Short mmCIF file of all heavy atoms in Angstrom, two decimals:
data_model
loop_
_atom_site.label_atom_id
_atom_site.label_comp_id
_atom_site.label_asym_id
_atom_site.label_seq_id
_atom_site.Cartn_x
_atom_site.Cartn_y
_atom_site.Cartn_z
N VAL R 49 10.21 -7.34 -8.01
CA VAL R 49 10.35 -7.49 -9.45
C VAL R 49 11.83 -7.49 -9.94
O VAL R 49 12.21 -8.36 -10.75
CB VAL R 49 9.55 -6.40 -10.16
CG1 VAL R 49 9.86 -6.39 -11.61
CG2 VAL R 49 8.04 -6.56 -9.96
N ASN R 50 12.62 -6.69 -9.26
CA ASN R 50 14.10 -6.71 -9.53
C ASN R 50 14.74 -8.02 -9.25
O ASN R 50 15.56 -8.49 -10.04
CB ASN R 50 14.81 -5.58 -8.89
CG ASN R 50 14.52 -4.23 -9.46
OD1 ASN R 50 14.15 -4.13 -10.64
ND2 ASN R 50 14.61 -3.14 -8.74
N GLN R 51 14.31 -8.66 -8.09
CA GLN R 51 14.87 -9.91 -7.74
C GLN R 51 14.45 -10.97 -8.78
O GLN R 51 15.25 -11.82 -9.14
CB GLN R 51 14.40 -10.37 -6.35
CG GLN R 51 15.02 -9.49 -5.28
CD GLN R 51 14.42 -9.78 -3.90
OE1 GLN R 51 13.58 -10.60 -3.79
NE2 GLN R 51 14.94 -9.12 -2.87
N LEU R 52 13.25 -10.95 -9.26
CA LEU R 52 12.81 -11.89 -10.34
C LEU R 52 13.58 -11.70 -11.61
O LEU R 52 13.90 -12.66 -12.26
CB LEU R 52 11.31 -11.70 -10.54
CG LEU R 52 10.41 -12.14 -9.45
CD1 LEU R 52 8.90 -11.69 -9.70
CD2 LEU R 52 10.48 -13.67 -9.27
N LEU R 53 13.83 -10.43 -11.94
CA LEU R 53 14.69 -10.15 -13.11
C LEU R 53 16.03 -10.73 -13.02
O LEU R 53 16.57 -11.35 -13.95
CB LEU R 53 14.74 -8.61 -13.36
CG LEU R 53 15.55 -8.16 -14.56
CD1 LEU R 53 14.96 -8.66 -15.83
CD2 LEU R 53 15.65 -6.63 -14.55
N ILE R 54 16.65 -10.59 -11.81
CA ILE R 54 18.04 -11.18 -11.62
C ILE R 54 17.95 -12.67 -11.73
O ILE R 54 18.80 -13.26 -12.39
CB ILE R 54 18.55 -10.74 -10.21
CG1 ILE R 54 18.85 -9.28 -10.24
CG2 ILE R 54 19.72 -11.59 -9.81
CD1 ILE R 54 19.15 -8.64 -8.83
N LEU R 55 16.99 -13.32 -11.13
CA LEU R 55 16.86 -14.78 -11.25
C LEU R 55 16.64 -15.21 -12.67
O LEU R 55 17.23 -16.24 -13.10
CB LEU R 55 15.72 -15.35 -10.37
CG LEU R 55 15.90 -15.15 -8.87
CD1 LEU R 55 14.65 -15.52 -8.15
CD2 LEU R 55 17.02 -16.06 -8.41
N SER R 56 15.91 -14.39 -13.44
CA SER R 56 15.61 -14.75 -14.81
C SER R 56 16.96 -14.66 -15.68
O SER R 56 17.23 -15.54 -16.52
CB SER R 56 14.59 -13.79 -15.40
OG SER R 56 14.43 -13.97 -16.82
N ARG R 57 17.71 -13.62 -15.44
CA ARG R 57 18.96 -13.43 -16.14
C ARG R 57 19.96 -14.46 -15.76
O ARG R 57 20.84 -14.81 -16.59
CB ARG R 57 19.54 -12.02 -15.83
CG ARG R 57 18.75 -10.93 -16.59
CD ARG R 57 19.38 -9.59 -16.33
NE ARG R 57 18.59 -8.56 -17.10
CZ ARG R 57 18.71 -7.27 -16.93
NH1 ARG R 57 19.60 -6.84 -15.96
NH2 ARG R 57 18.01 -6.49 -17.65
N GLN R 58 19.91 -15.07 -14.56
CA GLN R 58 20.79 -16.07 -14.16
C GLN R 58 20.38 -17.45 -14.69
O GLN R 58 21.05 -18.43 -14.58
CB GLN R 58 20.88 -16.18 -12.62
CG GLN R 58 21.55 -14.96 -11.93
CD GLN R 58 21.43 -15.03 -10.44
OE1 GLN R 58 20.63 -15.72 -9.88
NE2 GLN R 58 22.23 -14.20 -9.79
N GLY R 59 19.14 -17.49 -15.30
CA GLY R 59 18.61 -18.69 -15.84
C GLY R 59 18.05 -19.56 -14.79
O GLY R 59 17.76 -20.78 -15.02
N ARG R 60 17.76 -19.10 -13.57
CA ARG R 60 17.19 -19.88 -12.49
C ARG R 60 15.71 -20.00 -12.61
O ARG R 60 15.09 -20.87 -12.06
CB ARG R 60 17.69 -19.28 -11.13
CG ARG R 60 19.14 -19.39 -10.96
CD ARG R 60 19.66 -18.72 -9.72
NE ARG R 60 19.18 -19.32 -8.53
CZ ARG R 60 19.35 -18.81 -7.39
NH1 ARG R 60 20.09 -17.72 -7.18
NH2 ARG R 60 18.91 -19.46 -6.27
N ILE R 61 15.11 -19.03 -13.31
CA ILE R 61 13.67 -19.11 -13.56
C ILE R 61 13.46 -18.77 -15.04
O ILE R 61 14.23 -18.05 -15.64
CB ILE R 61 12.81 -18.19 -12.73
CG1 ILE R 61 13.22 -16.73 -12.86
CG2 ILE R 61 12.84 -18.64 -11.18
CD1 ILE R 61 12.37 -15.76 -12.15
N ASN R 62 12.39 -19.30 -15.65
CA ASN R 62 12.09 -19.02 -17.05
C ASN R 62 10.93 -18.03 -17.25
O ASN R 62 10.98 -17.17 -18.08
CB ASN R 62 11.87 -20.32 -17.80
CG ASN R 62 13.06 -21.14 -17.90
OD1 ASN R 62 14.24 -20.66 -18.01
ND2 ASN R 62 12.94 -22.44 -17.76
N THR R 63 9.89 -18.30 -16.51
CA THR R 63 8.72 -17.51 -16.62
C THR R 63 8.11 -17.11 -15.26
O THR R 63 8.33 -17.84 -14.31
CB THR R 63 7.57 -18.15 -17.45
OG1 THR R 63 7.21 -19.37 -16.75
CG2 THR R 63 8.04 -18.49 -18.85
N VAL R 64 7.49 -15.96 -15.21
CA VAL R 64 6.89 -15.42 -13.98
C VAL R 64 5.56 -14.92 -14.33
O VAL R 64 5.40 -14.20 -15.25
CB VAL R 64 7.75 -14.42 -13.31
CG1 VAL R 64 7.08 -13.84 -12.08
CG2 VAL R 64 9.13 -14.91 -12.95
N ASN R 65 4.59 -15.35 -13.54
CA ASN R 65 3.25 -14.82 -13.66
C ASN R 65 3.11 -13.58 -12.83
O ASN R 65 3.04 -13.68 -11.57
CB ASN R 65 2.15 -15.84 -13.37
CG ASN R 65 0.75 -15.31 -13.59
OD1 ASN R 65 0.48 -14.18 -13.92
ND2 ASN R 65 -0.20 -16.17 -13.51
N LEU R 66 3.07 -12.37 -13.44
CA LEU R 66 3.03 -11.13 -12.70
C LEU R 66 1.57 -10.53 -12.72
O LEU R 66 1.46 -9.35 -12.43
CB LEU R 66 4.00 -10.16 -13.23
CG LEU R 66 5.48 -10.59 -13.02
CD1 LEU R 66 6.39 -9.49 -13.72
CD2 LEU R 66 5.78 -10.59 -11.58
N THR R 67 0.60 -11.28 -13.01
CA THR R 67 -0.76 -10.81 -13.05
C THR R 67 -1.22 -10.18 -11.79
O THR R 67 -1.78 -9.11 -11.69
CB THR R 67 -1.71 -11.95 -13.55
OG1 THR R 67 -1.29 -12.48 -14.81
CG2 THR R 67 -3.14 -11.45 -13.69
N ALA R 68 -0.94 -10.89 -10.66
CA ALA R 68 -1.39 -10.32 -9.35
C ALA R 68 -0.65 -9.10 -9.05
O ALA R 68 -1.28 -8.12 -8.53
CB ALA R 68 -1.07 -11.45 -8.28
N THR R 69 0.65 -8.97 -9.40
CA THR R 69 1.44 -7.79 -9.15
C THR R 69 0.83 -6.65 -9.95
O THR R 69 0.68 -5.54 -9.48
CB THR R 69 2.92 -8.02 -9.52
OG1 THR R 69 3.40 -9.11 -8.71
CG2 THR R 69 3.74 -6.79 -9.20
N GLN R 70 0.55 -6.93 -11.23
CA GLN R 70 0.02 -5.91 -12.14
C GLN R 70 -1.32 -5.46 -11.62
O GLN R 70 -1.62 -4.18 -11.61
CB GLN R 70 -0.12 -6.45 -13.52
CG GLN R 70 -0.68 -5.46 -14.55
CD GLN R 70 -0.74 -6.08 -15.94
OE1 GLN R 70 -0.64 -7.24 -16.10
NE2 GLN R 70 -0.94 -5.27 -16.91
N GLU R 71 -2.23 -6.26 -11.05
CA GLU R 71 -3.49 -5.86 -10.57
C GLU R 71 -3.34 -5.00 -9.25
O GLU R 71 -4.03 -4.01 -9.14
CB GLU R 71 -4.28 -7.15 -10.23
CG GLU R 71 -4.79 -7.81 -11.51
CD GLU R 71 -5.46 -9.18 -11.14
OE1 GLU R 71 -5.62 -9.56 -9.92
OE2 GLU R 71 -5.75 -9.91 -12.08
N GLU R 72 -2.36 -5.31 -8.45
CA GLU R 72 -2.08 -4.51 -7.23
C GLU R 72 -1.58 -3.19 -7.58
O GLU R 72 -2.01 -2.16 -7.01
CB GLU R 72 -1.15 -5.29 -6.28
CG GLU R 72 -1.74 -6.47 -5.62
CD GLU R 72 -2.86 -6.17 -4.73
OE1 GLU R 72 -2.88 -5.19 -3.95
OE2 GLU R 72 -3.94 -6.85 -4.86
#
Side-chain angles (χ1 to χ4, degrees):
V49 170
N50 285 337
Q51 290 173 1
L52 291 170
L53 178 63
I54 290 169
L55 292 173
S56 174
R57 288 184 176 165
Q58 293 173 345
R60 295 172 67 185
I61 60 174
N62 293 322
T63 59
V64 176
N65 184 350
L66 294 175
T67 302
T69 303
Q70 185 178 10
E71 289 172 5
E72 288 301 314

